[in-house]
Amino acid sequence: MDPQSPTAASSMRLPPNTTHAHSPMYAFQVRAFVEASEVVDADPDTIEDILDGFDEDTGDDIDVQGEQADADDQHLEWEALLQEAHQAWTKDEVKQMMVDLKEHGMAYFIDRYVIEQVIPIPKVLYAFGVCLCPELRLKRRKTLLYFLEVAMSRELQAREKQTAYNTIDDAVDLIKQSRNIVILTGAGISVSCGIPDFRSTNGLYAQLQEKGEYDLDDPQQMFDIHYFREKPSVFYQIYPSNFIPSSCHRFIKLIEDKGKLLRNYTQNIDTLETRAGVRKVLQCHGSFATASCINCKLCVPGNAIEDDIMNHRVPVCKACSVAPAPLPEQKPKKKGKKKNLAPWESDGEEEPDIPDYPPGIMKPDITFFGEKLTDAFEKALLEDRPKVDLLLVVGTSLKVSPVSEILTHLPHSVPQILINKTPVKHINPDIVLLGNADEILDAPQPNLRRKRSSDAFARAPRRVANSHVWLFEGAEGGKWVDDVEKKALGLVADSESESEEESQREGDVEDAHDSDVEPQAKRARKAQGLSVRSLAS
């Protein structure tokens, strides 16, 4: 429920002639938890429960003296809760709770602390720095669990980078040593095949926006199930015909052939992983491999609709329709220049009561916005979580939920490597390789058993200062890379300054202690110390 909608507004108002001065913390927490529903799933009943009893319009005709008394009482109650929160957990207990969450996941955490130990949810929330206001503590258990999920989700998104991994050699060593690699891929691995990605400057969304050939308020509407039912033609522009797998697809196949691939989670619908021979692949958003009628649900192989698509006909169900959808009669426009349109498009105005297409349109079995993923996704994630020892994120900006949340469900101790054209700012991987994914993965491909360094690449990548970020051909880092460089240089400068101060202090102590030592001997000893330090570094 949208809290700004008339329905929501009416449901959250108090009965007439009822006045109550809400505390600022109550108002803040209500708004925060409602807004969090954009990230953490919450059903309408939960949102309605949060808003129940909350009235944003309080303030008219309120007794000032009564309001002051309420404020004093609320302040005392809030101080008592803060004191309780401070004493609820020790630092070691909170640390262990966070380890349990980050290494074992939400389900384990809830099972251990809420179900087995029967700890009240408001007390568990103290460990996350959340002190529920009195009004929200009275909500239903389902709503309290939602509050806990919001707190856990926030904590899981705050992954700390593992400082042991920074270089290309580290990345190759991780791939070489790992035995259960999860590879999460997106549209970026198919760009070199001739299939545009979605969100880059030259991606599919940008192309559709620039051409303006379709009546799209937002280019993402092409993957909206409601829009597809009305105007399916735009979707078939991305049909993957006669494309050859890229170096990235062959790399995944190589990892599998070496017995290292736990699973490839792909957001792509082009089936190129399958064409490359990869068997352990989960097509999270479905694919063109099969198609189903949106009316009678008849399922057919994907190649059964290929002829219609390649000949610019919207494919229709043979059980629901006798022939492919005929074009509606066109009424020529009185004004304006005629555009060059595909046979399945119209530049005229149709009668509003005559549908362009019959109800039985064949839709490839792809998950659109507004549709839920299959159970196979969650089942695979549960199976892989305790086994994975390395995560490779390749060619994706991780913008589409719930696949984008895979990183938060894996143990934080599992090393993460990002290989993408652009940075992904809402994650914190251990190694970031920016550039064309094919070039990055093609260099180490011939022999993973041999250690490869940056010298193995045709054009040496540039390391951003002394950080974990490397720039290859095609990288689009922008301001994010500049910020990483400034931060890295700042840390180096601070470290060098501290080192110089420490050396100066050591030198002063040494000079005071060895004032009677021959100068030549002192110089020899200092020289020996420097050589040992250089070897250690």
Side-chain angles (χ1 to χ4, degrees):
M1 180 184 299
D2 182 357
Q4 301 301 322
S5 68
T7 304
S10 61
S11 67
M12 59 187 272
R13 283 198 171 90
L14 293 173
N17 302 322
T18 299
T19 60
H20 178 71
H22 295 320
S23 68
M25 184 55 66
Y26 178 33
F28 172 79
Q29 290 189 351
V30 166
R31 294 188 182 96
F33 283 121
V34 170
E35 290 174 0
S37 64
E38 297 179 2
V39 178
V40 179
D41 289 337
D43 58 38
D45 290 341
T46 298
I47 299 300
E48 186 174 359
D49 188 36
I50 295 173
L51 295 172
D52 183 36
F54 179 73
D55 183 12
E56 288 186 318
D57 294 335
T58 56
D60 297 333
D61 302 325
I62 293 179
D63 178 28
V64 176
Q65 292 182 348
E67 183 179 4
Q68 182 60 46
D70 286 344
D72 292 340
D73 292 341
Q74 290 168 359
H75 177 74
L76 292 174
E77 188 173 15
W78 187 248
E79 287 294 326
L81 290 174
L82 290 177
Q83 183 66 21
E84 177 185 302
H86 182 71
Q87 299 173 349
W89 306 102
T90 66
K91 290 183 178 180
D92 289 340
E93 287 173 333
V94 172
K95 183 178 180 181
Q96 183 58 50
M97 293 170 76
M98 296 305 109
V99 169
D100 288 340
L101 173 63
K102 294 178 180 180
E103 293 304 307
H104 303 291
M106 288 188 183
Y108 173 90
F109 187 92
I110 292 174
D111 188 61
R112 177 173 182 180
Y113 292 98
V114 178
I115 298 177
E116 292 181 4
Q117 299 185 30
V118 198
I119 301 173
I121 292 176
K123 182 179 178 181
V124 178
L125 285 168
Y126 289 153
F128 295 88
V130 177
C131 182
L132 283 180
C133 61
E135 295 89 342
L136 294 183
R137 290 168 181 261
L138 302 177
K139 298 300 180 180
R140 294 180 302 199
R141 181 176 174 83
K142 183 179 179 181
T143 303
L144 292 174
L145 280 171
Y146 166 71
F147 296 158
L148 180 56
E149 289 175 3
V150 171
M152 291 190 295
S153 176
R154 183 184 65 177
E155 186 67 28
L156 287 173
Q157 290 173 0
R159 178 183 183 270
E160 294 183 7
K161 178 195 175 313
Q162 299 189 47
T163 57
Y165 310 117
N166 296 286
T167 68
I168 296 172
D169 285 342
D170 291 337
V172 176
D173 285 341
L174 283 170
I175 295 173
K176 180 176 63 175
Q177 297 165 5
S178 299
R179 293 292 177 267
N180 291 291
I181 303 175
V182 165
I183 304 180
L184 174 56
T185 53
I189 72 169
S190 297
V191 171
S192 63
C193 306
I195 303 174
D197 65 2
F198 295 103
R199 291 178 172 81
S200 69
T201 53
N202 296 317
L204 181 62
Y205 291 161
Q207 292 178 22
L208 288 173
Q209 198 78 39
E210 182 179 356
K211 292 179 180 178
E213 294 179 357
Y214 300 94
D215 184 20
L216 295 170
D217 296 327
D218 184 331
Q220 295 187 62
Q221 275 186 304
M222 69 180 298
F223 290 108
D224 183 275
I225 186 61
H226 305 294
Y227 186 87
F228 177 84
R229 292 177 183 276
E230 297 177 2
K231 300 179 180 180
S233 60
V234 62
F235 172 75
Y236 295 107
Q237 303 295 316
I238 62 172
Y239 186 76
S241 175
N242 301 321
F243 293 113
I244 300 174
S246 67
S247 294
C248 290
H249 298 103
R250 293 192 293 272
F251 174 83
I252 299 170
K253 173 61 175 170
L254 177 66
I255 294 293
E256 183 177 54
D257 289 345
K258 290 184 175 294
K260 295 173 174 290
L261 182 66
L262 181 58
R263 202 182 311 268
N264 172 206
Y265 290 82
T266 180
Q267 301 173 85
N268 296 341
I269 57 179
D270 52 35
T271 69
L272 288 179
E273 298 86 6
T274 303
R275 293 191 190 186
V278 180
R279 297 180 299 277
K280 295 181 179 180
V281 57
L282 177 64
Q283 291 156 332
C284 302
H285 296 156
S287 73
F288 281 93
T290 57
S292 299
C293 173
I294 63 175
N295 185 44
C296 71
K297 309 305 179 185
L298 175 71
C299 183
V300 300
N303 56 16
I305 65 172
E306 183 173 358
D307 182 67
D308 281 337
I309 295 174
M310 298 308 295
N311 286 283
H312 301 286
R313 297 188 299 264
V314 173
V316 296
C317 178
K318 294 182 178 179
C320 295
S321 306
V322 178
L327 292 174
E329 292 186 9
Q330 309 291 325
K331 290 185 178 181
K333 293 182 178 180
K334 297 180 180 180
K335 296 181 181 180
K337 187 177 180 180
K338 186 176 181 180
K339 298 180 180 179
N340 293 324
L341 300 173
W344 54 26
E345 300 173 89
S346 168
D347 66 343
E349 296 180 0
E350 295 81 21
E351 294 294 331
D353 58 340
I354 301 177
D356 290 355
Y357 307 100
I361 298 173
M362 298 302 294
K363 169 185 167 295
D365 291 327
I366 293 163
T367 305
F368 279 28
F369 297 126
E371 295 183 309
K372 294 188 67 174
L373 296 188
T374 64
D375 294 338
F377 173 75
E378 291 185 2
K379 182 180 178 181
L381 201 55
L382 287 174
E383 290 178 358
D384 295 345
R385 194 181 198 285
K387 303 175 185 176
V388 58
D389 56 8
L390 176 64
L391 174 66
L392 298 181
V393 181
V394 188
T396 173
S397 56
L398 294 175
K399 293 288 183 65
V400 180
S401 178
V403 176
S404 60
E405 299 168 7
I406 287 180
L407 277 70
T408 65
H409 290 286
L410 297 182
H412 283 207
S413 59
V414 173
Q416 299 180 3
I417 301 173
L418 171 68
I419 301 173
N420 198 44
K421 193 179 187 70
T422 58
V424 182
K425 300 175 184 178
H426 59 281
I427 66 173
N428 193 22
D430 303 307
I431 301 173
V432 177
L433 309 178
L434 297 183
N436 298 324
D438 281 340
E439 179 182 340
I440 296 172
L441 290 177
D442 209 20
Q445 182 174 322
N447 190 350
L448 286 175
R449 291 171 296 179
R450 185 176 65 210
K451 186 175 181 180
R452 304 295 296 264
S453 69
S454 58
D455 295 337
F457 297 90
R459 180 177 298 181
R462 179 176 77 86
R463 186 176 187 178
V464 179
N466 198 34
S467 74
H468 61 299
V469 180
W470 296 75
L471 305 181
F472 292 77
E473 183 72 20
E476 296 179 3
K479 185 179 182 298
W480 183 86
V481 168
D482 294 338
D483 292 341
V484 170
E485 187 165 23
K486 290 177 183 177
K487 182 177 180 181
L489 291 174
L491 291 175
V492 170
D494 292 342
S495 177
E496 290 177 349
S497 177
E498 291 176 3
S499 178
E500 289 177 1
E501 291 177 2
E502 182 180 356
S503 298
Q504 182 63 42
R505 287 194 299 268
E506 291 175 353
D508 293 343
V509 173
E510 187 177 63
D511 290 341
H513 180 70
D514 295 335
S515 59
D516 57 339
V517 179
E518 291 291 334
Q520 186 175 356
K522 288 166 59 179
R523 286 195 297 270
R525 187 163 60 186
K526 286 185 178 181
Q528 183 181 13
L530 286 172
S531 64
V532 172
R533 179 174 295 178
S534 64
L535 287 173
S537 62

